[in-house]
Amino acid sequence: MIMVMHKSCRFVLPALAAFVLAACGGSSNNDHTPVVQPPPPPAPVTYSYEVTVVNLTNGQPLSPVAVVLHQEGHLWTVGESASEALELMAEGGDNSEILAMENVMASASGEAPVGPGHSDTITVSIEDVADANLSVATMLVNTNDAFTGLDSVDLAELEVGASWSTMSMAYDAGTEANSELQSTIPGPAAGGNGFDAARDDVDFVAMHPGVVTKDDGLMESVLTSHHRFDNPVAKIIVTRMQ
Amino acid sequence: MKKTSALILSALATTTMSTQAADIDIHIQNLTQGIYFTPLLVTAHSDEAALFHVGEAASGELQAMAEGADISGLESIADGVSANSSANPAGGLLAPGASTMTMLSTSADNTRLSIVGMLLPTNDGFVGLDSWHIPSEAGTYTIYLNGYDAGTEANDELITGGGAPGVPGIPAAPGGNGGTNGTGVTDMNGSEVIHIHPGNIGDDMIDGGKSDVDSRVHRWLNPVAKVTVTVN
């Protein structure tokens, strides 16, 4: 009741009428019995964002892009251990656990990988939350556990029709050693396994050191010079549609 | 928002561009996964001083820092120009992924911020910030730093303990994951001015090979550090 009263003084129970009417600074006529008439529920306000991810690499397809809105938490923090949801995405390109994270209030995923030089546009919408944070995550699939994206970008200042863009860096989930072995890389360069629950690396997220490749002396690597990358690896454009 | 702030700044230029003392908090994070920072020198100085300039030859003091992690010479230079400095805020090495924090109370003319520290394992690589203009407007500012090459030593990538200026080799691989008995990537020092570091080559041989650093662990891509400055 208290929560309703501060929004509308018309919607009050007779027993509380005297107190509430006085508190609202309106009529103090205690003899009047107010009519209990709930106001129509306010129309929900939809906040909708279009997120375009452009793949800037030479030979690293990006796994289907996860786009999530949340008010709390992070998808990752540099220097800290990756969540299992991030590990699953960074090692295997599977974003399902990121989309299902407890703090996620709205989510959307690209339908297919984004090839080098290509882009994908994903729309995500949320009702009645003006100050959501945007996070984006996608794997560089011809790697052990490289990913790119954005963590917790504050969208509160973005007006309808306005755009914001940035270049994103390559991160290393730190959950799988960068062996570059065929068996450990899920992308088309290798066709190996993606996710492996065992953690055999430093176990903290950091900037990615890049891939070595067999063309640069790592003879057991399945990768070639085509798979090398440098920062930035993606351009991300966010437009508020409504 | 940034554009708006810039406009406001220029509109207020007559009042805010004058030099003023400030208390600033400086948070420095090593963004790499396998490179250590040796003791850092964080210093606020005037626009007439600098620790280094990209494209110019390194001073002997910068060389000592970049080749052997010795910041005492640079610290003396900073003290000599009445800079406000914080030496070795991390109390030793700043490990991959780790952060450190320091504060400076800057005097009126010390409006520029510089940061240096050696990258290990490298021959003469360092993380650097050159004369960043400390904003007079209170707020939090983020800067990403690159890895530079002092241009004073060949990047042979041999972990020999050589850290004194002019002595070839890498002082150490603090992670304990370096190799030995490499033949050396090169004995030629290329550019003799300070430049963006070309990165480690490395190899995957603990014993022998060209390099004593691990190509899968000791490479990096820029940026190598994130600095968050809060002007109070």
Side-chain angles (χ1 to χ4, degrees), chain A:
Chain A
M1 277 313 299
I2 301 298
M3 291 180 65
V4 174
M5 289 184 328
H6 82 263
K7 283 188 178 170
S8 169
C9 288
R10 286 176 295 155
F11 180 39
V12 290
L13 286 175
L16 294 173
F19 165 73
V20 171
L21 288 173
C24 290
S27 166
S28 58
N29 180 358
N30 291 352
D31 297 334
H32 176 64
T33 303
V35 178
V36 177
Q37 191 175 39
V45 179
T46 300
Y47 297 83
S48 181
Y49 305 93
E50 208 175 71
V51 178
T52 297
V53 176
V54 185
N55 183 338
L56 303 179
T57 72
N58 181 66
Q60 291 287 346
L62 300 173
S63 67
V65 178
V67 177
V68 299
L69 298 175
H70 55 103
Q71 284 178 304
E72 296 179 349
H74 294 272
L75 284 199
W76 69 86
T77 303
V78 171
E80 294 183 11
S81 183
S83 67
E84 286 182 20
L86 185 78
E87 179 183 11
L88 181 67
M89 193 281 300
E91 292 184 14
D94 177 355
N95 66 26
S96 59
E97 285 195 14
I98 286 179
L99 300 177
M101 280 169 70
E102 206 171 306
N103 59 326
V104 167
M105 305 167 82
S107 67
S109 174
E111 292 178 1
V114 187
H118 290 256
S119 65
D120 194 14
T121 298
I122 296 137
T123 300
V124 63
S125 300
I126 193 166
E127 287 187 351
D128 294 336
V129 178
D131 58 349
N133 289 334
L134 170 74
S135 290
V136 176
T138 175
M139 179 191 184
L140 280 66
V141 300
N142 290 325
T143 67
N144 287 93
D145 60 344
F147 69 97
T148 190
L150 300 173
D151 178 67
S152 304
V153 175
D154 181 0
L155 297 175
E157 302 287 325
L158 197 64
E159 294 175 0
V160 174
S163 285
W164 173 84
S165 72
T166 190
M167 298 289 191
S168 68
M169 308 292 184
Y171 298 91
D172 189 313
T175 55
E176 183 174 299
N178 294 333
S179 66
E180 303 182 20
L181 295 173
Q182 179 276 327
S183 60
T184 63
I185 292 179
N193 292 325
F195 173 68
D196 183 334
R199 297 197 175 192
D200 62 351
D201 201 1
V202 295
D203 203 13
F204 61 82
V205 178
M207 302 295 297
H208 199 284
V211 291
V212 182
T213 82
K214 63 185 167 198
D215 287 331
D216 204 12
L218 187 61
M219 297 318 292
E220 60 194 14
S221 172
V222 71
L223 305 176
T224 72
S225 61
H226 295 290
H227 306 116
R228 292 172 58 81
F229 56 85
D230 199 351
N231 288 319
V233 294
K235 181 175 183 181
I236 301 177
I237 306 133
V238 182
T239 305
R240 183 171 158 200
M241 306 306 289
Q242 66 179 85

Side-chain angles (χ1 to χ4, degrees), chain B residues 81-98:
Chain B
V81 296
S82 303
N84 308 112
S85 301
S86 168
N88 192 15
L93 296 169
L94 187 64

